[in-house]
Amino acid sequence: SAVISQKPSRDICQRGTSLTIQCQVDSQVTMMFWYRQQPGQSLTLIATANQGSEATYESGFVIDKFPISRPNLTFSTLTVSNMSPEDSSIYLCSARRGGADTQYFGPGTRLTVL
Amino acid sequence: QQQVKQSPQSLIVQKGGISIINCAYENTAFDYFPWYQQFPGKGPALLIAIRPDVSEKKEGRFTISFNKSAKQFSLHIMDSQPGDSATYFCAASMGFQKLVFGTGTRLLVSP
């Protein structure tokens, strides 16, 4: 298994500011993902964080709004830029080892934008 | 074709009863079907998963039934307990690619 931690666990931010969310995995993983989950809703994939190269974004998500870094095989960051109240959501980090099906999730970061 | 349709949206079951959640998919290339359990304030946790080469998989009180011809799969929770009250998501993927999630089912097991 893989244990995933995220920081911060929650934050309240002002409109127009940016927040960087950190994701740490307790072992090396091949793939890392970032999801958004509105309260009571399903999970929406934002992007796949690629180690050593630019992240792969899903339709509707752009790098300028959600820049992602992945400097090594255990760590990734997601920045939510120029925030608006519509960005209020839970952001989840997820990871999977190469050649394995099981995908693990972190506890999430609850973001509120005022 | 990438969608996974999940029903019901919510479910109330008496303690000791059987909870059944259903999912349907269109993409026949999907080859991995996990179920995730999520408690409030927590991230989803893998509960049980199946590949299409088997029709059923059981782990404790949790069973996945898989019908390849109908492109449907379901989660059965036997002897449901109040501690099972959570949101359940089905998902599907192909070839170790990204997971596609269902819309979720909120289960409440009444004492």
Side-chain angles (χ1 to χ4, degrees), chain A residues 96-103, chain B residues 25 28-35 46 48-59 63-69 72-74 91-99:
Chain A
R96 192 172 77 210
R97 293 194 178 87
D101 290 321
T102 304
Q103 190 166 322
Chain B
Y25 63 97
T28 55
F30 285 145
D31 59 4
Y32 175 68
F33 302 88
W35 284 91
L46 180 66
I48 187 173
I50 197 168
R51 286 193 166 274
D53 52 347
V54 296
S55 60
E56 185 176 281
K57 183 175 181 179
K58 184 176 181 179
E59 290 184 1
T63 299
I64 297 179
S65 296
F66 187 84
N67 186 330
K68 188 173 182 179
S69 60
Q72 296 176 346
F73 59 109
S74 59
S93 70
M94 54 182 170
F96 303 119
Q97 295 182 27
K98 62 186 179 184
L99 285 171

Side-chain angles (χ1 to χ4, degrees), chain B residues 71-86:
Chain B
K71 292 185 285 187
Q72 296 176 346
F73 59 109
S74 59
L75 175 69
H76 297 235
I77 305 175
M78 312 300 286
D79 187 27
S80 298
Q81 299 296 312
D84 296 329
S85 297

Side-chain angles (χ1 to χ4, degrees), chain A residues 16-20 36 46-47 54-58 60-69 77-84 87 91:
Chain A
T17 62
S18 298
L19 176 72
T20 295
R36 184 169 71 183
I46 297 172
E54 195 171 281
T56 303
Y57 290 85
E58 296 299 305
F61 297 96
V62 295
I63 187 171
D64 290 345
K65 177 66 176 177
F66 298 100
I68 288 171
S69 78
T77 67
L78 169 73
T79 299
V80 186
S81 303
N82 188 24
M83 290 183 286
S84 66
D87 295 319
Y91 292 85

